[in-house]
Amino acid sequence: MPLAFGALPLHQIRNLVTMGQKTSKSKSNHDYNHFPFFSDGDTIQTVKEAHTFFILRGLPGSVKSTFGPKLLATYPSSIACTMETAPVAEQDESDGDWFAQVDEKIQQGMKDVKNVILVDDNHRSAQRLDYLAGLAKDNDYIVVIVTSVTKWEKPADSLERIIPYYFGWFLVRKSAQEMRKNAKDFLKLLTCNKEFLEEFKPNVEWHSEEEFNLQEYFQKRPSMLHCTTKFCNFGEAPGCESYARSKVVEQNYAKTFTLKVTALFVTPRTVGARVVLDKIQDLLWPREEASEGGGDSAEAKLPFGSRSHISLACAPGIKAVQTGLDLLEILKLEEEGKKPEQQMETEEGLLSCYGLGRWIVKLPKPVEVKTLFSGFYQRKKLTTDSEDN
């Protein structure tokens, strides 16, 4: 059921961007140059190579009319899916034919594998936004939402502030493909390792009569590889509002980052990649993680941001959030000085076993992956538990 924006509490009726937009009274409402995808050279180059789905939100006649031309000028090979008129009521948006022309352009852009797709259809309902976000996810596009309002709009007339299911660094398609290959090679390496199989198999449930197969056991794979920073649950999680409003999030929204993967690990529950953050990336890691066992708490005694990871696969019935917990478990054992029960050199690096099916390989050289910092916005029931965060 579409949201009735006018009935929302005033604190929820806010101008979204803000995210990715520095709010300065001295700046013109027509000045979009501060967005990373317009101002940062590395981000511009990454977006040109990646697959990004821009959703432009705002009332007809707002300054968003200047955004589209600027985006098309910056990314000449992009496609704009626009609609000049706006629905006169929310009932119009529920009409499946209302956005047919725009949707046809979107489908064509995805069929042509356009690197940048801009959608400007003047929608206001949550259902339409959910549809667009789901379409982008299903076609492996990273969603970036930009909302503009006119300087004469009243707060109650503007669109609601959008807080995603989670914020994070989303791997661009090429890096995601490379990371998936690394995971596949890692599991293949373990499958051929007698010592691994003898230790690992007693810790898992395998009901098939066929010979144990790691690739089949870890069937659940996330459709979009990412490194979660903050789980928000669309505004319901503690601290998400302050995180979304923070200056560092607003300034870095839709900006490119290169993450360094230093290890791959497997447990009876998950397969993941450890990410080591640099000082700038640390700023986007939530401060409260330190008191939740995810950082430098007295109990964990681990560096801040130690939980940062990329979920690669899960066992049946396991949610992706378990991947970070499995990583922390291994890192705490290392920090406590526990010696590996087994250790061996492999073509992937030094492979260590900490018992109970917990194995980690330290890569001889970090694998760098390109990402965009954004959010996961689809509200529909997630297609797999691997999308939970």
Side-chain angles (χ1 to χ4, degrees):
M1 181 176 181
L3 293 175
F5 298 113
L8 287 174
L10 187 60
H11 72 279
Q12 292 183 13
I13 307 173
R14 305 197 185 277
N15 178 13
L16 167 62
V17 161
T18 75
M19 281 184 199
Q21 178 178 355
K22 297 178 183 177
T23 53
S24 173
K25 293 181 179 180
S26 63
K27 286 185 179 291
S28 163
N29 279 344
H30 290 72
D31 180 13
Y32 288 108
N33 290 328
H34 45 276
F35 284 97
F37 45 82
F38 287 147
S39 63
D40 180 69
D42 288 342
T43 299
I44 292 173
Q45 186 59 40
T46 297
V47 171
K48 286 182 177 179
E49 299 171 355
H51 297 79
T52 313
F53 194 86
F54 287 89
I55 301 176
L56 184 55
R57 309 189 84 208
L59 301 179
S62 70
V63 298
K64 71 191 181 81
S65 59
T66 65
F67 180 91
K70 185 171 181 62
L71 189 77
L72 297 178
T74 306
Y75 306 98
S77 62
S78 60
I79 182 173
C81 309
T82 62
M83 186 167 63
E84 298 301 324
T85 57
V88 295
E90 290 185 6
Q91 287 85 345
D92 291 333
E93 293 200 34
S94 64
D95 183 350
D97 295 331
W98 185 264
F99 298 106
Q101 186 176 2
V102 174
D103 290 344
E104 184 178 341
K105 292 180 181 178
I106 295 173
Q107 295 288 357
Q108 187 60 50
M110 291 179 169
K111 182 179 180 181
D112 295 339
V113 198
K114 290 288 187 179
N115 293 88
V116 175
I117 296 177
L118 168 65
V119 179
D120 178 11
D121 59 10
N122 296 318
H123 75 271
R124 298 194 70 183
S125 77
Q127 288 180 337
R128 176 62 180 175
L129 177 60
D130 182 63
Y131 169 78
L132 293 173
L135 189 63
K137 178 187 75 70
D138 292 343
N139 289 274
D140 202 16
Y141 277 79
I142 299 172
V143 172
V144 172
I145 297 179
V146 181
T147 300
S148 63
V149 297
T150 59
K151 60 184 178 181
W152 57 83
E153 272 187 86
K154 296 178 181 179
D157 293 330
S158 64
L159 299 170
E160 87 281 18
R161 184 182 185 88
I162 301 170
I163 296 180
Y165 191 52
Y166 56 81
F167 284 100
W169 292 287
F170 291 79
L171 276 66
V172 302
R173 193 172 296 185
K174 183 178 180 180
S175 288
Q177 290 172 346
E178 293 173 350
M179 201 67 242
R180 289 191 178 98
K181 183 180 183 303
N182 289 338
K184 184 177 180 179
D185 291 344
F186 178 49
L187 293 181
K188 184 177 180 180
L189 171 74
L190 296 177
T191 300
C192 299
N193 189 300
K194 181 181 177 181
E195 289 80 5
F196 168 81
L197 291 176
E198 289 178 350
E199 194 281 336
F200 188 80
K201 286 169 62 176
N203 293 287
V204 303
E205 294 184 8
W206 181 253
H207 302 294
S208 172
E209 295 181 1
E210 301 292 329
E211 185 178 356
F212 179 72
N213 186 305
L214 270 181
Q215 299 285 356
E216 291 185 13
Y217 178 71
F218 289 111
Q219 288 185 28
K220 293 168 54 179
R221 316 287 170 89
S223 60
M224 296 192 71
L225 295 187
H226 63 278
C227 176
T228 302
T229 57
K230 175 65 177 176
F231 175 67
C232 299
N233 195 22
F234 304 111
E236 298 297 323
C240 65
E241 182 77 19
S242 59
Y243 180 82
R245 287 170 170 271
S246 65
K247 186 177 180 181
V248 67
V249 169
E250 292 178 354
Q251 290 180 340
N252 289 285
Y253 183 74
K255 185 176 182 179
T256 189
F257 289 86
T258 299
L259 302 183
K260 290 187 176 181
V261 173
T262 61
L264 299 174
F265 60 93
V266 62
T267 74
R269 297 165 295 278
T270 63
V271 180
R274 184 188 181 189
V275 174
V276 175
L277 306 178
D278 62 27
K279 292 182 179 179
I280 296 177
Q281 294 158 2
D282 261 348
L283 298 175
L284 286 165
W285 195 257
R287 300 296 103 183
E288 68 268 20
E289 287 291 328
S291 61
E292 294 176 358
D296 55 356
S297 65
E299 179 183 358
K301 296 182 180 179
L302 294 172
F304 181 75
S306 291
R307 188 172 174 171
S308 56
H309 67 279
I310 299 169
S311 295
L312 298 172
C314 295
I318 301 298
K319 293 186 176 182
V321 67
Q322 182 64 43
T323 314
L325 300 177
D326 285 353
L327 173 60
L328 284 179
E329 199 173 87
I330 294 173
L331 296 181
K332 287 177 183 178
L333 290 173
E334 292 182 340
E335 184 68 24
E336 293 167 359
K338 179 177 175 59
K339 292 184 178 181
E341 295 184 2
Q342 298 185 56
Q343 202 167 48
M344 62 201 76
E345 286 288 349
T346 70
E347 58 188 68
E348 295 288 337
L350 183 62
L351 179 65
S352 302
C353 171
Y354 287 93
L356 301 178
R358 298 170 297 190
W359 293 73
I360 185 169
V361 61
K362 305 291 181 63
L363 304 178
K365 182 180 179 181
V367 174
E368 295 187 345
V369 293
K370 283 189 175 183
T371 69
L372 286 178
F373 179 71
S374 188
F376 184 91
Y377 294 97
Q378 188 182 21
R379 279 183 175 270
K380 291 179 181 178
K381 184 177 181 181
L382 305 178
T383 53
T384 70
D385 290 331
S386 297
E387 301 291 353
D388 59 3
N389 74 357

